[in-house]
Amino acid sequence: MSSIIKFWPFLLLVVSNIFMTFAWYGNLKFKDSSTSLPLIILISWGIAFFEYCLMIPANRLASKNFDTAQLKIIKEVISLVVFGVFSVLYLKESFKLNYILSFICILGAVFFAFKKF
């Protein structure tokens, strides 16, 4: 299998996580808005639809090279990286030292998920 084909699941996972992060957290930038909660939920569902359209093929493609636990660990790391960038660039929140230390601990989990014992 070519390295280009192996790369596709990761690209799909990144883009799907961008959609999901906006679906879940994008509305927080406008939390003082008078927009009704049911409308916000419908908008979020609409955004999440595209996440599912990318996540399902990404999981199916990646499952050819990774077991399910490894795939979940990969997805969570991508999700945290996307969220970190999103919270700093879109929500204008600060990225604190304890977040960096937490992420280092998660990278330890990645190491053990892929380590052969």
Side-chain angles (χ1 to χ4, degrees), residues 34-46:
S34 63
T35 307
S36 70
L37 188 56
L39 179 60
I40 291 171
I41 291 169
L42 288 174
I43 292 168
S44 293
W45 277 353

Side-chain angles (χ1 to χ4, degrees), residues 42-111:
L42 288 174
I43 292 168
S44 293
W45 277 353
I47 296 168
F49 170 78
F50 296 102
E51 185 266 346
Y52 280 94
C53 290
L54 297 168
M55 180 66 71
I56 301 304
N59 285 334
R60 291 182 68 87
L61 287 170
S63 70
K64 295 175 183 175
N65 298 307
F66 303 102
D67 63 35
T68 307
Q70 291 173 325
L71 183 57
K72 182 64 176 174
I73 293 285
I74 292 166
K75 185 228 171 270
E76 293 305 324
V77 168
I78 290 171
S79 186
L80 287 170
V81 170
V82 167
F83 181 78
V85 171
F86 173 86
S87 66
V88 170
L89 297 180
Y90 184 76
L91 295 177
K92 307 293 186 209
E93 295 181 353
S94 61
F95 201 73
K96 300 174 184 167
L97 177 61
N98 58 326
Y99 301 157
I100 294 168
L101 295 173
S102 298
F103 192 71
I104 290 169
C105 290
I106 291 168
L107 290 178
V110 172
F111 170 78

